[in-house]
Amino acid sequence: MVPTEEVSARRREVEDKLKQEEETLSFIKESLDKSEQLTKNMVSILSSFESRLMKLENSIIPVHKQTENLQRLQENVEKTLSCLDHVISYYHVAKDTEKIIKEGPTGRLEEYLNCMDKIQKAVEYFQDNNPDSPELNRVKSLFERGKESLESEFRSLMTRHTKPVPPILILDLISADDEMETQEEMSLEHLPESVLHDIIRISGWLVENGRNQDFMTVYFQIRSVQLDRSLKGLKDHFRKNSSSAGVPYSPAIQNKRKDTPTKKPIKRPGTIRKAQNLLKQYSQHGLDGKKGASNLIPLEGHEHDLRVKHLADTLSDKHGPAAGRDDVFDIEIDAYIHCVSAFVKLAQSEYQLLTEIVPEHHQKKTFDSLIQESLDNLIMEGDNIVSAARKAIIRHDYSAVLTIFPILKHLKQMKPEFDQVLQGTAAGTKNKLPGLITSMETTGAKALEEFADNIKNDPDKEYNMPKDGTVHELTSNAILFLQQLLDFQETAGAMLASQETSSSASSYSSEFSRRLLSTYICKVLGNLQLNLLSKSKVYEDSALSAIFLHNNYNYILKSLEKSELIQLVAVTQKTAERSYRELIEQQIQTYQRSWLKVTEYISERNLPVFQPGVKLKDKERQMIKERFKGFNDGLEELCKIQKAWAIPDVEQRDKIRWAQKTIVKETYGAFLNRYGNVPFTKNPEKYIKYQVDQVGEMIDKLFDTSA
């Protein structure tokens, strides 16, 4: 059972809670009533505000619309006044700008162009709005006058400030490209910067507003003359300076050249002039067989020693003027080579200038016209060189082809730059240089082939043969000519390849070129050998014939070995060196047989056999006497004859002397030991003229007229 007090307490707690809940509900109800009242009040206020706002809007909107209309009217009035001012200004343009237009643009180009713009706008206005107005004719006339003044100013600026490029700067430009690749790139300033700016502004205005292209014709005509004068100035510079201390460069370039690695220089024609002179003399005297022996120095020898002074006097007295002409020709060729390089550099510079002045779609055509005269002159000069070479070849003057080599080599080196410069020009312009190269290659190939044929067919003239058996002019000149080809191997190979029709030629390569040149050199050497064999038959003495062939073969071999010719020959003839050594040895053996008629007298064959102490018969004594006498006479005769012969090569001369001396001394020594003490005569000194050492000394004097 739960106690009564506890129940009462619980009841009181429940009652208290109920009372609290009632009070809370009463408060909530009271709050809701107040909130409802506030809401009603707010709705009333908002309704009142809306009513007042509508009244205000109805009052302001009409005022706002009236204000907008007034503002629009004001703007229209202002625009109308502005248009009137603008239209009226067109009627004042002629008056405002006439003075400036008459005075011209000189010194105030921008102001002048602004006036021209105003006049052009006036013209457009009157054409569109009042084509019958007298003002239209006035502004039109003023506009045309202004345009003519601009064209005149363009011409005047171009004429006054376009000057030929000084030769020194051209040479520096070429030198900078070849020798100062690590240095900053050089450029030419054709026009002062301020002048260039004015010219660009005028050309731009004429293209844009003048609708006139006449100024482009003026531009290329003036610049074309300048380009041509620059190249001619370079030639004159060479003529004045090449004969002295060389062609000068500017001090700046000279200083840089000292410490700058250089490319291999162009082989100047002057460096091959000596070879040309020798070949020219030979071709005039030797190949045509009309003028007798030339004064050429083939190699050291007895006849050479006697001719040195005579040749020097002849060249100074007789050929002095010709030598002077050769120097002039050297300068012309050298100048031409430099002009080719100069043309490329100047043309590149001209194109850079042209791109700033001439509109892009007219640049290629204008550039083509600009360079045409200078390019034509350059090609024409090259054609003249080819023509002169052809005439020289007809005269059998094969030295002319040596002139073509450096030019052709340089043209082919410059062709990529030429093609780049002429890119975009007409096909006829692009084909001019390839045409000249083809012409030179054809002419050069013809000269090479005719030279080889003439080597083979050189006449066997007795008066043209060296009496001492030394190296023939034909040999020295043929080798000299071939040696000149070494500096132009690729060029010479290209010449020969240009005449090939095989599939190999169509796929031209440096290796193919090298093989062709090797084949050609072998052909020349083969023709030379055949000709030498034919010439050797002119000698009545077979020993002298052998010495002649020996000297020539030895000279050929030594010359091949001292230069790169031997490597070039070996490309197609691996055994060439060995073959020449065998030929040389064969001629030595042939020569040695000439002594058999001397040693035959003292050989052991057919000698009498006798017993020591037994008295010789008259027949035996006479035989011994004849043997001694035959040997003495033969020795003296051979030594006298062969002393005048020549073996220029000291090593070969000593070798032949030693071999012959060894054979003769051994044979004579044995004979002398056997019969020297035999009483075959009462006058032994009459028959025993020489001791063994004396015989050796006599042989040591062979091939030496001074001994």
Side-chain angles (χ1 to χ4, degrees), residues 494-505:
M495 282 182 177
L496 298 169
S498 67
Q499 305 304 303
E500 292 290 318
T501 56
S502 63
S503 57
S504 300

Side-chain angles (χ1 to χ4, degrees), residues 655-671:
K655 174 184 175 181
I656 292 174
R657 283 173 176 170
W658 180 84
Q660 199 58 51
K661 182 170 64 175
T662 301
I663 295 172
V664 176
K665 283 178 67 176
E666 287 181 358
T667 307
Y668 182 64
F671 182 78

Side-chain angles (χ1 to χ4, degrees), residues 296-302 304-305 307 470-471 476 551 555 648-649:
L296 193 64
I297 307 175
L299 198 65
E300 60 174 320
H302 304 325
H304 156 259
D305 296 333
R307 289 204 304 258
T470 190
V471 178
S476 58
N551 284 333
Y555 178 78
D649 189 310

Side-chain angles (χ1 to χ4, degrees), residues 5 91 133 154 201 229 257 268 293 296 351 397 400 430 462 470 472 474 546 565 585 617 643 699:
E5 292 91 358
Y91 287 87
S133 172
F154 182 89
R201 288 284 289 126
R229 289 173 62 192
R257 283 160 66 95
R268 295 179 57 178
L296 193 64
Y351 188 74
D397 176 11
K430 293 179 183 177
E462 185 175 354
T470 190
H472 196 277
L474 179 67
L565 281 173
E585 192 59 36
K617 299 177 181 179
K643 184 178 181 180
I699 295 176

Side-chain angles (χ1 to χ4, degrees), residues 26 80 257 277 321 330 345 359 531:
S26 176
T80 301
R257 283 160 66 95
N277 285 339
D330 281 345
K345 295 301 173 187
N531 198 301

